[in-house]
Amino acid sequence: YLLGACYNILKQHDKAELAFVSALPGLEDPEALECLYRLGLARFVLKKYPEAAVDLAGYLEKAGNGPHAAEARFYIARSLFERGDYEQSGTEFTTIAAGEGSIAAQASLWLARVSTRGVKDYTRAAEVLADAIERFEDSPVITDIRFEIGRAHV
């Protein structure tokens, strides 16, 4: 599984996926959980959204509130979004955005995007983003949030 991690660093996600798949059967927890999580992320980057969601859901099922739980939920929601399931991704992003920290800020940004892509509710998107600007002013994605609110007001 370390080989997969190295391939991910090199942005060779296709090779990382294969390395994680090969390593997973021989691993036990906690390495197996970490491998499953990383496999899900590699597949997400490769735009294999259904497979990524299955891997990340498997991680959540086994790890519960493990160290990558918030990120796993976020990428499951992103997978739903990328497949055009705006209603379900919106539900997931709403839950995540209600939390704290960087992942909640990112979820707020994507929740606004759900509003502008799905039902075309730019008012709702602006409300989500205005709240995010207040709550996450020190977030690494604050510039993206501010940009997106400008788009929502256009």
Side-chain angles (χ1 to χ4, degrees), residues 58-91:
Y59 169 83
L60 287 172
E61 182 180 314
K62 294 175 183 172
N65 286 323
H68 304 297
E71 289 83 1
R73 287 183 186 95
F74 175 80
Y75 282 103
I76 290 170
R78 282 283 317 272
S79 294
L80 291 164
F81 177 90
E82 298 299 338
R83 290 184 304 187
D85 189 345
Y86 301 122
E87 183 175 335
Q88 186 62 39
S89 66
T91 300

Side-chain angles (χ1 to χ4, degrees), residues 62-135:
K62 294 175 183 172
N65 286 323
H68 304 297
E71 289 83 1
R73 287 183 186 95
F74 175 80
Y75 282 103
I76 290 170
R78 282 283 317 272
S79 294
L80 291 164
F81 177 90
E82 298 299 338
R83 290 184 304 187
D85 189 345
Y86 301 122
E87 183 175 335
Q88 186 62 39
S89 66
T91 300
E92 299 299 323
F93 285 132
T94 298
T95 301
I96 300 164
E100 298 296 325
S102 177
I103 203 72
Q106 291 178 55
S108 295
L109 177 64
W110 283 93
L111 178 57
R113 290 176 176 166
V114 166
S115 296
T116 60
R117 305 282 193 315
V119 295
K120 308 282 190 214
D121 187 346
Y122 295 95
T123 302
R124 174 71 180 129
E127 290 169 356
V128 167
L129 294 165
D131 176 65
I133 288 171
E134 285 183 29
R135 292 179 52 219

Side-chain angles (χ1 to χ4, degrees), residues 2 7 11 14 17 27 29-31 53 55 67 69 76 83 88 90 101 111 117 124 131 139 151:
L2 293 176
Y7 281 131
K11 304 215 183 299
D14 54 335
E17 177 190 22
L27 295 174
D29 293 341
E31 290 82 11
D55 296 332
I76 290 170
R83 290 184 304 187
Q88 186 62 39
L111 178 57
R117 305 282 193 315
R124 174 71 180 129
D131 176 65
S139 169
R151 286 176 26 135

